[in-house]
Amino acid sequence: MGSPKMAKSAMKQGIWRRRIGAPFAAVLVAAVLAVVVFSGQFAKGPNASSQFAPVQVDNTLRPTRDKPVSADQDLERTVSSKLEGEDTEQIRLEDGQSPNKEAAIEEQKPSQAAAIDQDDNTLNPGLKQASGDERSAGGSDSLGKESPPQSQEGDGGTAESGAEPYIKCTAQSDIKICDLSNPRFDICELCGDARTIGQSSTVVYVPQNRASNGEEWIIRAQSRKHLPWIKKVTIKSVNSSEPEPICTSKHHIPAIVFALGGLTANVWHDFSDVLVPLFLTARQFNRDVQLIITNNQPWFIKKYSAIFSRLTRHEIIDFDSDGQIRCYPHVIVGLRSHRDLGIDPSSSPQNYTMVDFRLFVREAYGLPAAEVDIPYKADKDDPDKKPRIMLIDRGKSRRFVNVAHVVQGLDWFGFEVVKADPKIDSNLDEFVRLVDSCDAIMGVHGAGLTNMVFLRSGGVVVHIVPYGIKFMADGFYGAPARDMGLRHVEYSISPEESTLLEKYGWNHTVINDPETIRKGGWEKVAEFYMSKQDIVLNMTRFGPSLLNAIEFIM
């Protein structure tokens, strides 16, 4: 080790080396940086090649920055189901036909309430309008009314001077712009020179070969293309005889044009119809994409702002009130969708799965990483630790009539019960942490079970299936739970556990022949089994299912 004298001498030498060497190193680093910057400027000279021809911006305009407008101005109208208390979850019946759902347009003013909307109506009267001073997703004050023309050197994805050209999308003459063949959704992808015109709900494509004949498509830009109340978007390919619209704002990033509305405000539809399809369509761009929304619902952006901010770092545009002509090198109109609340990895070029989606959502809300155990296992050395189960008690239909007895039974089986009340207007950011603190979630078939997306890997979904709807239970919640890496325990109630038995008796078709009711179509299923039924849970009969859930947790 040497003597103390030698150690002190070595320390002094080190101090002098640092004093002399630090200024020299600083000068050297500054010189290297100067060379890099100087050479980078010349690399972007007038002869630099680009895969796309540059779009000329009308230089007669005086460029100014967009003035941000609150996300909560002029809430859009949306749609509510006429069937009171009915799930807006669409059922795929055996004949393959979509259910016929009547809809009425009403004023909607929901906000960032927790995702425990249990009445499954499109509207939730308990949701409140977002306050005007709060910002929209992605940290921008977007989704406002008409904006002035943007500068070429601005925010929100506007093309900057000397910006690198976008080369991830290559225009090919033999590929059709729009694909209308999918039974769930229509989608159009414009590679090259695409221009969005919000005032006419139009996206114009200027092909490299202007000799081709112009084409036009009109689609509903959401994952349920048959909903008639979603606003349509026109996609138009111009030919040589048509003037191309003059850009007022030029961007170097891709854009996605899609619709809100539809059956949103039911948390199952929020995820199944919008958030999962948007993940499928936008995640590939790693936040470097602009979202352009028609049928805008500011409350939706506010409620799921954490998710939107993980999908884009750019301004979100309200398409219906946008006064600009925006030019992009790549525009997708519509959202890809594989199935109800599901992803087919083989149909995704990026091989996304529902596990990827669940972990993405958890990351967006800052929840523990994938390798962290469910809470009970994480603290299994605590002798007083009990597995924690969230009990979702619905609001109007398919309620637990004997909820106090259910809570008592769960406690007897060894659970710590966390009761989620759909009437509580709680902050979603707080609510997802409450779900994350649980090992299991339990509820009657309905939208509230969608909150399983906030459980940790290996968490358990205890799914109570009302009488008469077993045929659709697994598709809505069982398969999605398994696809997300969760455990699913399904319990189908007996006629004795349904209030329908007391209403109709053993001899009624509703009780003795559910298949006949089902053949009558969605309206009959909704009328009897979804809207008029409550649950009297037999904890003795239900016990083995709870033991199964406990085995999964242990």
Side-chain angles (χ1 to χ4, degrees), residues 5-248:
K5 185 176 181 180
M6 292 175 62
K8 186 179 293 187
S9 175
M11 184 182 297
K12 288 182 179 180
Q13 292 177 11
I15 292 172
W16 278 108
R17 280 197 299 269
R18 287 193 294 271
R19 287 179 178 176
I20 296 172
F24 178 77
V27 172
L28 180 61
V29 170
V32 171
L33 288 175
V35 171
V36 171
V37 172
F38 187 76
S39 61
Q41 292 297 323
F42 281 92
K44 297 177 182 179
N47 295 325
S49 62
S50 170
Q51 189 160 349
F52 299 105
V55 180
Q56 298 298 321
V57 180
D58 184 359
N59 55 20
T60 62
L61 293 171
R62 296 184 60 189
T64 57
R65 290 188 180 273
D66 283 340
K67 296 180 180 178
V69 185
S70 169
D72 306 305
Q73 295 181 0
D74 297 331
L75 289 173
E76 296 279 327
R77 289 178 177 269
T78 188
V79 177
S80 162
S81 170
K82 283 186 176 181
L83 300 175
E84 182 178 357
E86 166 196 338
D87 262 305
T88 51
E89 299 164 351
Q90 290 195 338
I91 301 174
R92 185 171 299 156
L93 303 179
E94 279 189 338
D95 58 4
Q97 296 178 347
S98 297
N100 179 20
K101 301 187 74 66
E102 299 180 0
I105 296 180
E106 300 181 12
E107 287 291 335
Q108 181 177 6
K109 297 183 179 180
S111 79
Q112 188 174 297
I116 54 176
D117 313 346
Q118 277 305 293
D119 292 331
D120 296 351
N121 293 322
T122 301
L123 294 187
N124 182 345
L127 298 174
K128 299 182 297 182
Q129 180 176 346
S131 59
D133 60 347
E134 297 195 47
R135 299 167 69 87
S136 66
S140 77
D141 298 275
S142 54
L143 289 168
K145 295 303 177 184
E146 180 175 338
S147 302
Q150 289 185 338
S151 166
Q152 278 186 275
E153 298 183 13
D155 300 325
T158 305
E160 298 180 3
S161 176
E164 291 293 335
Y166 180 80
I167 59 173
K168 295 179 182 178
C169 181
T170 304
Q172 299 182 33
S173 59
D174 59 337
I175 296 179
K176 286 189 67 68
I177 294 174
C178 292
D179 181 1
L180 314 184
S181 63
N182 193 285
R184 298 180 65 88
F185 66 93
D186 294 332
I187 197 157
C188 302
E189 187 156 9
L190 291 66
C191 292
D193 184 352
R195 312 182 183 197
T196 64
I197 310 173
Q199 290 182 334
S200 61
S201 296
T202 301
V203 180
V204 173
Y205 180 55
V206 182
Q208 293 179 351
N209 180 14
R210 292 295 297 275
S212 61
N213 294 326
E215 296 182 89
E216 183 173 301
W217 302 263
I218 300 176
I219 70 170
R220 295 185 177 94
Q222 209 198 72
S223 65
R224 293 185 181 270
K225 68 181 185 180
H226 297 296
L227 296 180
W229 55 87
I230 293 178
K231 190 172 181 179
K232 296 178 179 179
V233 176
T234 299
I235 298 89
K236 183 177 177 61
S237 176
V238 298
N239 58 31
S240 57
S241 64
E242 297 174 281
E244 55 192 66
I246 303 300
C247 303
T248 62

Side-chain angles (χ1 to χ4, degrees), residues 294-358:
T294 186
N295 278 112
N296 175 36
Q297 294 182 326
W299 68 266
F300 191 98
I301 308 297
K302 176 179 170 61
K303 179 176 180 178
Y304 299 110
S305 60
I307 295 176
F308 276 92
S309 67
R310 293 300 299 172
L311 288 171
T312 180
R313 62 183 178 87
H314 299 284
E315 178 187 22
I316 298 176
I317 305 298
D318 183 339
F319 194 43
D320 300 333
S321 62
D322 186 29
Q324 297 200 43
I325 299 176
R326 301 177 183 270
C327 295
Y328 298 91
H330 183 188
V331 172
I332 298 173
V333 184
L335 296 177
R336 294 185 174 89
S337 176
H338 296 162
R339 55 176 176 262
D340 290 333
L341 197 60
I343 293 174
D344 177 9
S346 65
S347 299
S348 170
Q350 297 77 27
N351 300 120
Y352 291 137
T353 67
M354 282 300 287
V355 171
D356 294 326
F357 175 75
R358 182 178 59 79

